[in-house]
Amino acid sequence: MNIRERLLNKIADREIVTGVIGLGYVGLPLAVEMAKAGFRTIGFDVKKEKVNSVNQGLSYIRDVAGDDLKTLVDKGLLAATTDFSEIRNTDFIAVCVPTPLDEMRQPDLSCLEAAVKSIADHLRKGMIIVIESTSYPGTTEELVKPILESSGMKCGEDFYLGFSPERLDPGNTIYNIRNIPKVVGAIGNDAGELIAAMYEAVLDNKVFRVSSPAVAEMAKMLENSYRNVNVGLINEFAIFCNKMGVDVWEVIEAAKTKPFGFAPFYPGPGLGGHCIPVDPVYLNYKAAGHDFRFSVIDASMEVNDSMPGYCVDRIEEILSRRFDKSVKGSRILILGIAYKEGSDDCRESPSLRIIDKLRAKGADTVFYDPCVSRCRYKGKVYEGEDKLTDFLVQNADLVVVTTPPSYDGLDYEFVRRHAKAVFDIRNATGNLADRSNIETL
């Protein structure tokens, strides 16, 4: 029996020890699902507070139930550590570390490089490594593979390597890590078969295999660039519709009646999160090395990046027209600080950019988000309000809905009734009968 067959049997028998490097929004849910599937799982992270929380069975990710986590820890199926030498005791490693942009808005792969170097330091024959961290096409073969082979072992013979893009949508109550289809691109057929078998043992969906890591990496770029471009288009439509006095939300509803050739996207204050506003930068970074530039993506990014400024301009105009007030000295209540509803993730959130711009103009801003009590932006700490009270709403010169807080009991009629005026960027109040004091994007 060769190595591949032995590993396939170990996967089927749940004898594989799995590891996940990076216990954030992607890594912790994946580690939990691996443990739930019966695999002894080790989570790795450089942050002691995350490791301690996991080992105490305390979840810090909204999509991971604390009871599930504690049960798995108590059963010995899941443990976390900051000791990366424990990698030597794993058979399968998934890398789920951040790949953000640096201060110059260029790809920052330092966390990925550090994680892969840790694997190389403790690489054993027969290990399976899969990269889930999003990066530009070519990263797995051009960056990851050479680092691992610096150990003296050869890819495809001594260890197996592939890429499978994470596709999580934090806060989504329909699609989760178990039922979202998985794409796998690996170096060699054996690696592809092993990685696919591992994911199929953990998740509910079949795995879609592609011919190489670069194809899987490019697929991730296409998925998120597609959204970036279409959001940019609808944001421009919203700006133009406002100039014409046409309701863009009614326009979208009308267009949605076409049963083919149209997928609805919705305007907003800009793009947030780790993927949609970041991935096109990674793509264009790689394209530059091939003397190419995605002009359509560039145009959409310019529109989306300008939306927080446009929203602030609209806020100024509404305050002036309705109350003969300037932004300076006005009290503005922001509803929603996370980048998307139902999430506590504030990375790249346009709401923070709006608040920052309003404060720079002298506004007194407060925010309420049931998922976020405080967050940090540009070295400043933003503290949220504990409750959405009638006094909080009445005391604001303008209520701005940037990310609709989504939870049972939030009554937008309550907001409308107590507010002097509402600027509803997300059309969260679209079903209210009386909208006389509401304006939309």
Side-chain angles (χ1 to χ4, degrees):
M1 186 182 296
N2 60 31
I3 295 176
R4 179 186 64 84
E5 291 172 337
R6 284 202 300 271
L7 288 170
L8 287 172
N9 286 338
K10 287 182 72 175
I11 291 171
D13 295 338
R14 300 302 192 267
E15 295 177 358
I16 287 277
V17 177
T18 64
V20 177
I21 300 180
L23 297 175
Y25 288 95
V26 175
L28 183 59
L30 179 61
V32 166
E33 291 304 325
M34 286 177 168
K36 278 184 177 180
F39 295 95
R40 188 164 74 83
T41 303
I42 304 173
F44 299 88
D45 205 285
V46 296
K47 295 183 177 179
K48 289 183 179 179
E49 58 269 26
K50 286 186 177 180
V51 166
N52 291 339
S53 292
V54 171
N55 289 332
Q56 293 171 40
L58 301 174
S59 177
Y60 46 87
I61 301 292
R62 291 182 63 84
D63 290 340
V64 173
D67 289 346
D68 287 350
L69 182 59
K70 190 169 188 339
T71 298
L72 295 169
V73 171
D74 290 346
K75 286 182 176 180
L77 285 169
L78 178 60
T81 182
T82 58
D83 182 4
F84 282 70
S85 69
E86 288 294 317
I87 288 171
R88 71 168 77 93
N89 296 319
T90 65
D91 303 290
F92 178 97
I93 285 279
V95 180
C96 307
V97 296
T99 48
L101 301 177
D102 62 20
E103 293 180 356
M104 302 300 293
R105 301 290 294 175
Q106 294 296 303
D108 178 2
L109 296 178
S110 57
C111 291
L112 178 60
E113 289 187 57
V116 176
K117 286 177 181 176
S118 294
I119 298 172
D121 289 341
H122 307 287
L123 193 59
R124 297 188 291 105
K125 192 165 185 176
M127 283 182 68
I128 307 164
I129 300 102
V130 61
I131 308 300
E132 290 212 2
S133 302
T134 302
S135 187
Y136 51 77
T139 299
T140 302
E141 292 168 278
E142 297 166 10
L143 175 69
V144 175
K145 179 172 172 282
I147 294 174
L148 294 174
E149 289 190 327
S150 70
S151 66
M153 294 193 187
K154 188 171 178 60
C155 182
E157 294 181 11
D158 300 311
F159 66 90
Y160 304 95
L161 176 63
F163 178 83
S164 181
E166 61 87 5
R167 283 173 155 177
L168 283 187
D169 185 19
N172 193 319
T173 58
I174 298 174
Y175 293 106
N176 54 55
I177 192 169
R178 288 191 62 83
N179 63 15
I180 298 173
K182 210 79 170 80
V183 172
V184 168
I187 300 175
N189 187 64
D190 286 356
E193 186 177 3
L194 289 165
I195 294 170
M198 186 65 212
Y199 281 125
E200 286 174 349
V202 172
L203 309 177
D204 290 337
N205 273 315
K206 290 288 185 181
V207 173
F208 185 84
R209 287 179 57 186
V210 294
S211 60
S212 70
V215 172
E217 291 161 339
M218 191 73 84
K220 175 69 171 181
M221 294 289 110
L222 176 58
E223 291 169 19
N224 288 340
S225 296
Y226 169 83
R227 291 178 66 183
N228 193 306
V229 167
N230 281 281
V231 170
L233 173 65
I234 200 63
N235 277 335
E236 273 206 313
F237 256 80
I239 294 170
F240 185 59
C241 283
N242 180 65
K243 288 181 178 293
M244 287 194 63
V246 174
D247 185 345
V248 68
W249 303 96
E250 187 178 2
V251 171
I252 295 169
E253 289 303 306
K256 278 170 59 177
T257 62
K258 186 178 181 181
F260 58 91
F262 180 81
F265 285 79
Y266 301 94
L271 291 173
H274 173 65
C275 291
I276 311 301
V278 173
D279 290 1
V281 178
Y282 272 72
L283 184 59
N284 265 331
Y285 175 85
K286 184 66 175 182
H290 294 266
D291 194 27
F292 187 81
R293 190 81 189 177
F294 285 86
S295 57
V296 173
I297 295 176
D298 279 344
S300 67
M301 289 172 65
E302 183 178 348
V303 173
N304 293 327
D305 288 346
S306 72
M307 289 307 292
Y310 172 75
C311 290
V312 170
D313 290 343
R314 287 287 308 277
I315 289 169
E316 287 187 289
E317 187 271 330
I318 292 169
L319 286 169
S320 175
R321 171 167 43 80
R322 281 183 173 262
F323 309 114
D324 195 26
K325 295 192 68 169
S326 67
V327 166
K328 185 176 182 179
S330 293
R331 185 171 178 82
I332 299 172
L333 170 61
I334 304 292
L335 291 187
I337 198 74
Y339 84 90
K340 68 181 297 253
E341 60 185 281
S343 170
D344 60 354
D345 191 348
C346 293
R347 289 176 297 177
E348 303 286 333
S349 174
S351 301
L352 287 167
R353 292 173 60 193
I354 289 173
I355 290 176
D356 195 51
K357 290 177 181 294
L358 288 171
R359 288 189 175 183
K361 290 177 176 289
D364 174 19
T365 63
V366 293
F367 82 84
Y368 170 75
D369 191 317
C371 299
V372 182
S373 59
R374 69 197 302 267
C375 61
R376 183 179 294 272
Y377 179 67
K378 290 185 177 180
K380 304 172 188 174
V381 175
Y382 293 79
E383 299 280 353
E385 299 293 325
D386 294 333
K387 291 184 178 180
L388 187 64
T389 63
D390 52 0
F391 176 79
L392 183 63
V393 177
Q394 290 167 355
N395 200 39
D397 294 300
L398 182 66
V399 177
V400 182
V401 183
T402 54
T403 308
S406 176
Y407 76 111
D408 292 340
L410 180 60
D411 181 4
Y412 282 102
E413 172 58 28
F414 165 85
V415 174
R416 184 209 65 78
R417 188 168 65 252
H418 292 287
K420 297 181 180 74
V422 178
F423 178 31
D424 184 2
I425 296 173
R426 298 285 196 169
N427 201 38
T429 61
N431 62 346
L432 299 184
D434 183 355
R435 307 187 72 206
S436 57
N437 63 338
I438 297 174
E439 301 196 25
T440 59
L441 193 64

